[in-house]
Amino acid sequence: MFVELNNLLNTTPDRAEQGKLTLLCDAKTDGSFLVHHFLSFYLKANCKVCFVALIQSFSHYSIVGQKLGVSLTMARERGQLVFLEGLKSAVDVVFQAQKEPHPLQFLREANAGNLKPLFEFVREALKPVDSGEARWTYPVLLVDDLSVLLSLGMGAVAVLDFIHYCRATVCWELKASILYLMQGNMVVLVHDSGDAEDEENDILLNGLSHQSHLILRAEGLATGFCRDVHGQLRILWRRPSQPAVHRDQSFTYQYKIQDKSVSFFAKGMSPAVL
Amino acid sequence: MTPSEGARAGTGRELEMLDSLLALGGLVLLRDSVEWEGRSLLKALVKKSALCGEQVHILGCEVSEEEFREGFDSDINNRLVYHDFFRDPLNWSKTEEAFPGGPLGALRAMCKRTDPVPVTIALDSLSWLLLRLPCTTLCQVLHAVSHQDSCPGDSSSVGKVSVLGLLHEELHGPGPVGALSSLAQTEVTLGGTMGQASAHILCRRPRQRPTDQTQWFSILPDFSLDLQEGPSVESQPYSDPHIPPVDPTTHLTFNLHLSKKEREARDSLILPFQFSSEKQQALLRPRPGQATSHIFYEPDAYDDLDQEDPDDDLDI
């Protein structure tokens, strides 16, 4: 996790808010550093994490995780991390006969209408295990990323339905269980196609924006690529529990990604530029 | 207007805004965006209707019941009839808890009521329904629900119906939004500038011209409305309180500051091409050193000393 980003978001692993949906989106740049941040953040917060990773392999996240101080392999072994490796499972679901529905079952079916098997997988993964003691603080669902589901043939409304059900389960329902006394969180990544006329992606992005509590938007610089400033990050807080206490606030920072950290600074204040 | 008159006018206007939105009945469309959310205004209208003694039904599809009821005191919460379509709208859990027919069935059931009590139905949100149901079906049901009180025959027994629909503008194309807009008696478009929210209200009264007005407001934590004057023209540009002001001259390798003496010397400098009164006097006065300088010139053979005909081509 990046300490400077924690400061900007005014949060630490010990006292993060619960029951929140965080939307990560990137436009003209790669926002995956945010995914790595939240993955290590919630593992350090001792949460049970279900990671639906459709873009990269497990070893990729593991290598970056080691730089940020978490070991995904160990987390998976002790049951803290449930990892769905999309790239490997996709091959399994297509080339091997499945007895019970696979989370990525929609890849086999010509007219898969919904992502119910994937939701069942998530619910099963984050269900509290009756082991007699509460080991983990609260459940977290992480998805990287949702735009690829659109490319794989799901409609925007089907993906919105999947997120709806995940929200109903992760953020609200699990609160009823005695083991998880607190609500869970969700973090999802969606790419913003920008100029390209992708209506489905726009519906997905706007629909999720309306449901999110926090939107982190990584954008490339309008003037193009720069070696010292990799992009800018817009932070928008929405839906505060008390309206008009902090009215929707939006801040913009520029950032530079280094080997093990990301440094943030106000616009135009990069040390290299001054 | 004296301050006391302004305050009285303020409370009068506050009642007017929510009242005027609910008075017409029919479909009230609340159009919001990602930046300016409309659920707070929807909850303020729900609270107003409940306090007026109307029957209030909520079709909750987008947020959970706990989240919607948050901020209302128990008096209001007891008057709300909540239909929960958030937990399992598509019946994926295969239990029979869900209302048969889903949210559309619940709306249709409300068409068939015969109470004389005025009723308010809040749809949270209309966008959710519009994404999953065909637009024509939804428009037909909305028309049937919102126009119950204007049906001929039984009109005296059915009370006024208000349908409050929350619509997220960015999610839909101009076609469905236009269709819903033409169905609506009142349209409220939320926007704002510089941290101040505004509502552009368009009212279509029957047999009258549509009226529109823009109202600046903010919603208090207990979901009552506070009307405001709007941002003044001379207000300061929105300064970011989160980021401390950074001095860019702290880490420079060159000196940008002037000492006091340097500053004085700079201020007393006369620019070379500025025509000040001293310069004018200096030009007009003959310089004392002029008489001592002479120019000695030996004319060449080709030189023409005749000033009146320099080209030598006048044949006079």
Side-chain angles (χ1 to χ4, degrees):
Chain A
M1 76 182 174
F2 307 126
V3 181
E4 283 192 40
L5 185 54
N6 282 345
N7 293 338
L8 292 182
L9 296 177
N10 200 20
T11 176
T12 59
D14 311 320
R15 48 178 192 85
E17 290 185 325
Q18 274 113 45
K20 302 292 175 211
L21 168 63
T22 303
L23 175 67
L24 312 172
C25 85
D26 58 13
K28 291 193 191 151
T29 188
D30 184 17
S32 54
F33 69 97
L34 295 168
V35 176
H36 296 299
H37 163 82
F38 280 104
L39 178 59
S40 54
F41 179 93
Y42 283 118
L43 284 176
K44 283 189 180 168
N46 210 25
C47 301
K48 176 113 189 240
V49 176
C50 175
F51 190 4
V52 177
L54 302 169
I55 296 289
Q56 301 277 9
S57 64
F58 179 78
S59 50
H60 171 90
Y61 294 105
S62 183
I63 291 170
V64 180
Q66 273 172 357
K67 288 190 192 173
L68 299 181
V70 289
S71 167
L72 294 196
T73 326
M74 278 181 53
R76 192 160 65 168
E77 275 165 19
R78 63 172 183 252
Q80 188 187 9
L81 173 67
V82 177
F83 194 95
L84 174 67
E85 192 168 349
L87 296 172
K88 244 178 29 178
S89 325
V91 175
D92 290 339
V93 81
V94 172
F95 290 116
Q96 291 174 19
Q98 301 289 321
K99 292 179 214 58
E100 65 268 339
H102 189 275
L104 300 181
Q105 191 68 24
F106 64 91
L107 291 174
R108 272 192 88 94
E109 294 160 10
N111 292 325
N114 58 38
L115 287 165
K116 189 167 164 210
L118 189 57
F119 162 68
E120 306 268 320
F121 170 82
V122 168
R123 191 176 59 178
E124 201 56 41
L126 292 178
K127 205 169 57 170
V129 175
D130 194 12
S131 63
E133 47 162 276
R135 292 181 69 192
W136 316 117
T137 45
Y138 50 90
V140 173
L141 169 66
L142 202 56
V143 183
D144 179 21
D145 64 58
L146 288 177
S147 302
V148 80
L149 290 173
L150 294 179
S151 313
L152 289 171
M154 298 309 298
V157 179
V159 182
L160 283 174
D161 284 339
F162 164 67
I163 294 293
H164 179 112
Y165 268 89
C166 287
R167 247 188 342 128
T169 308
V170 175
C171 297
W172 286 100
E173 190 176 297
L174 288 181
K175 155 171 94 136
S177 148
I178 40 169
L179 286 177
Y180 285 133
L181 296 171
M182 294 166 269
Q183 308 156 332
N185 280 353
M186 284 175 58
V187 180
V188 297
L189 175 72
V190 180
H191 294 300
D192 187 359
S193 48
D195 300 326
E197 301 267 341
D198 192 346
E199 284 176 13
E200 294 270 301
N201 202 37
D202 286 342
I203 292 176
L204 178 62
L205 184 60
N206 289 323
L208 284 177
S209 304
H210 277 282
Q211 295 173 22
S212 314
H213 298 94
L214 174 64
I215 302 178
L216 294 177
R217 195 184 154 88
E219 300 167 341
L221 296 177
T223 43
F225 174 73
C226 170
R227 195 181 52 194
D228 297 303
V229 178
H230 291 151
Q232 74 185 19
L233 185 71
R234 275 223 317 239
I235 306 176
L236 176 64
W237 275 278
R238 292 189 80 252
R239 294 171 64 192
S241 52
Q242 290 289 321
V245 169
H246 3 260
R247 187 69 208 165
D248 299 350
Q249 293 179 335
S250 164
F251 301 122
T252 308
Y253 299 94
Q254 292 179 339
Y255 62 87
K256 175 175 181 183
I257 302 177
Q258 284 139 359
D259 185 41
K260 290 190 182 178
S261 68
V262 176
S263 58
F264 291 87
F265 33 87
K267 280 163 91 163
M269 297 289 171
S270 160
V273 168
L274 287 176
Chain B
M1 190 185 272
T2 63
S4 58
E5 278 176 3
R8 262 180 284 134
T11 35
R13 279 184 302 139
E14 169 198 330
L15 295 173
E16 257 178 44
M17 175 172 163
L18 290 180
D19 276 332
S20 68
L21 290 176
L22 294 169
L24 265 187
L27 176 63
V28 179
L29 209 57
L30 299 176
R31 299 166 65 150
D32 73 347
S33 57
V34 175
E35 246 187 281
W36 301 99
E37 57 94 24
R39 188 164 287 112
S40 318
L41 184 59
L42 179 71
K43 285 169 85 164
L45 286 168
V46 162
K47 177 180 168 173
K48 189 82 171 61
S49 304
L51 287 175
C52 289
E54 297 183 11
Q55 210 180 69
V56 183
H57 292 261
I58 320 272
L59 251 70
C61 309
E62 236 180 44
V63 294
S64 67
E65 183 170 353
E66 291 96 338
E67 198 175 327
F68 192 89
R69 286 186 186 271
E70 208 178 318
F72 289 145
D73 50 18
S74 54
D75 179 37
I76 310 232
N77 268 324
N78 290 337
R79 299 187 201 207
L80 301 182
V81 179
Y82 198 92
H83 306 265
D84 186 7
F85 293 103
F86 176 73
R87 286 211 195 279
D88 194 2
L90 306 171
N91 204 18
W92 279 7
S93 61
K94 291 281 185 286
T95 60
E96 291 312 312
E97 288 174 11
F99 191 94
L104 197 63
L107 262 184
R108 283 197 173 117
M110 290 184 206
C111 294
K112 299 190 184 67
R113 46 165 224 121
T114 49
D115 280 337
V117 179
V119 82
T120 298
I121 304 169
L123 302 175
D124 179 14
S125 64
L126 198 46
S127 282
W128 195 97
L129 296 171
L130 194 55
L131 282 178
R132 289 157 181 85
L133 300 169
C135 182
T136 46
T137 317
L138 186 60
C139 287
Q140 282 165 0
V141 176
L142 279 177
H143 183 89
V145 170
S146 54
H147 283 80
Q148 288 175 67
D149 49 352
S150 54
C151 297
D154 261 341
S155 57
S156 56
S157 61
V158 178
K160 172 176 78 77
V161 180
S162 296
V163 181
L164 312 171
L166 183 62
L167 191 70
H168 306 307
E169 283 191 306
E170 306 106 330
L171 293 182
H172 311 288
V177 173
L180 286 171
S181 169
S182 63
L183 271 184
Q185 263 65 49
T186 314
E187 241 180 275
V188 183
T189 307
L190 289 151
T193 171
M194 284 177 18
Q196 190 68 301
S198 73
H200 180 241
I201 305 172
L202 180 71
C203 279
R204 290 191 190 93
R205 292 191 170 82
R207 290 184 293 279
Q208 285 180 31
R209 287 178 65 193
T211 56
D212 69 350
Q213 53 159 276
T214 303
Q215 186 65 62
W216 299 88
F217 69 98
S218 74
I219 301 195
L220 305 171
D222 66 347
F223 292 105
S224 54
L225 213 62
D226 178 29
L227 294 183
Q228 272 146 16
E229 288 305 321
S232 59
V233 184
E234 315 90 32
S235 62
Q236 290 185 4
Y238 179 63
S239 61
D240 205 336
H242 188 82
I243 307 175
V246 176
D247 185 11
T249 58
T250 40
H251 299 300
L252 292 172
T253 53
F254 47 89
N255 183 23
L256 272 184
H257 298 288
L258 292 174
S259 69
K260 194 156 173 285
K261 262 186 79 173
E262 289 168 341
R263 200 180 293 275
E264 281 169 9
R266 189 185 72 168
D267 287 340
S268 59
L269 187 66
I270 302 176
L271 295 172
F273 295 108
Q274 192 153 353
F275 196 69
S276 61
S277 58
E278 290 94 11
K279 197 155 178 122
Q280 187 181 29
Q281 291 305 316
L283 286 172
L284 289 176
R285 233 180 300 125
R287 287 180 52 186
Q290 238 170 11
T292 58
S293 59
H294 287 283
I295 297 173
F296 297 96
Y297 177 62
E298 290 292 332
D300 285 338
Y302 317 107
D303 266 346
D304 180 18
L305 293 172
D306 181 4
Q307 297 297 323
E308 286 185 28
D309 188 13
D311 295 328
D312 275 350
D313 55 359
L314 288 180
D315 205 8
I316 303 172

